[in-house]
Amino acid sequence: VQLQASGGGLVQAGGSLRLSCAASGRTFSTYTMGWFRQAPGKEREFVAAIRRSGGSTQYLDSVKGRFTVSRDNAKNTLYLQMNSLKPEDTAVYYCAADPSWSPPFIYGMTYWGKGTLVTVSS
């Protein structure tokens, strides 16, 4: 599966952004999908994941209540709605896919897309 994230940009603290991840192929609905991020000088970290059917989700504690992960299997698209953004959310965000569901996804996922930069100004 090939993945392409989009929707990043510059936003003020307290603002919102919605990231999208378009997937190629006809097997999108068979994958667990997720979002990860990497801030400058820091290691990549898990942000959110959603099961194949969308029935279960998992979040990084610091984004719970602010971020919402969703998917549209008919459109082969993954989303991340980010509200109440904070400067510490500044990072390159990556979408990823994996055949299995294994939170907290310490080892990441199998397939990765190119990232999209989110910058939150204070």
Side-chain angles (χ1 to χ4, degrees):
V1 60
Q2 293 185 322
L3 306 170
Q4 179 64 56
S6 62
L10 174 64
V11 63
Q12 289 188 333
S16 298
L17 279 176
R18 188 174 83 154
L19 304 183
S20 298
C21 175
S24 65
R26 295 176 290 179
T27 58
F28 177 77
S29 63
T30 67
Y31 290 100
T32 289
M33 297 298 298
W35 291 97
F36 293 75
R37 68 187 182 187
Q38 186 166 19
K42 295 187 177 181
E43 294 187 352
R44 182 187 66 198
E45 66 177 352
F46 165 79
V47 176
I50 186 167
R51 294 195 77 147
R52 302 171 187 179
S53 63
S56 295
T57 56
Q58 189 88 8
Y59 293 94
L60 175 69
D61 283 348
S62 63
V63 308
K64 285 180 180 178
R66 300 189 298 121
F67 290 11
T68 302
V69 61
S70 61
R71 65 191 296 165
D72 186 334
N73 286 342
K75 295 182 178 179
N76 283 8
T77 305
L78 173 73
Y79 303 99
L80 185 68
Q81 178 66 44
M82 304 186 294
N83 299 328
S84 302
L85 282 160
K86 304 176 181 180
E88 51 264 43
D89 295 319
T90 295
V92 176
Y93 284 72
Y94 299 88
C95 62
D98 199 273
S100 64
W101 174 258
S102 55
F105 304 98
I106 295 173
Y107 303 107
M109 291 189 178
T110 303
Y111 303 101
W112 296 87
K114 292 183 179 180
T116 185
L117 177 63
V118 172
T119 303
V120 184
S121 63
S122 57

